[in-house]
Amino acid sequence: MIEIIEKKSKFLGYCYNVTSAKQVEDIIACLKKEHKKATHICYAYNICSDVVLAKAVDDGEPGGTAGRPIFNVIDKKGLKNILVVVVRYFGGIKLGAGGLVRMYTKTASQAVREFEVV
């Protein structure tokens, strides 16, 4: 897990190896229990098995400002069987659409970089 603070908002990045949509659901359910006070739990995944499953979720952030940037990190690195989650605790200062895209991209990129090292 990595943590980034931007204008009082806290962004936490997580990466997981996954092989099914059920695993994704279970992980997201656990994170929602762990981070009950989080404002948003946004994520994207790419699972390659018999059928390719890919999804990006904004969880209430403006459309295309969270899930899509996270998925773009996965896609650009060519990663498979991975779930990347960014948990956001809103700090009271709006970041704007561009700021959200930058922060979700930055958090996802750092989480993936740390995950690849491990």
Side-chain angles (χ1 to χ4, degrees):
M1 190 236 0
I2 63 108
E3 179 179 317
I4 299 172
I5 307 285
E6 176 70 21
K7 295 186 179 177
K8 298 183 182 180
S9 282
K10 182 171 28 173
F11 294 84
L12 306 174
Y14 297 87
C15 287
Y16 301 91
N17 279 321
V18 291
T19 56
S20 71
K22 174 71 171 123
Q23 272 186 297
V24 170
E25 291 171 15
D26 292 345
I27 290 167
I28 297 301
C30 286
L31 287 171
K32 285 183 177 184
K33 286 180 186 174
E34 181 181 344
H35 298 284
K36 288 180 183 176
K37 294 185 179 184
T39 314
H40 306 282
I41 298 178
C42 305
Y43 61 94
Y45 62 86
N46 190 9
I47 300 171
C48 292
S49 56
D50 295 337
V51 177
V52 175
L53 301 174
K55 187 172 184 177
V57 175
D58 290 321
D59 189 36
E61 290 284 28
T65 62
R68 175 54 58 189
I70 296 168
F71 186 80
N72 287 344
V73 171
I74 293 170
D75 192 43
K76 285 180 183 175
K77 289 193 166 272
L79 301 172
K80 307 291 184 220
N81 297 330
I82 189 169
L83 165 65
V84 179
V85 183
V86 177
V87 176
R88 179 183 182 203
Y89 287 87
F90 179 60
I93 299 171
K94 292 186 178 185
L95 302 177
L100 289 172
V101 170
R102 279 189 300 279
M103 289 310 302
Y104 278 102
T105 300
K106 180 178 180 179
T107 306
S109 294
Q110 288 186 15
V112 165
R113 191 171 19 250
E114 182 175 294
F115 181 73
E116 288 177 327
V117 170
V118 173

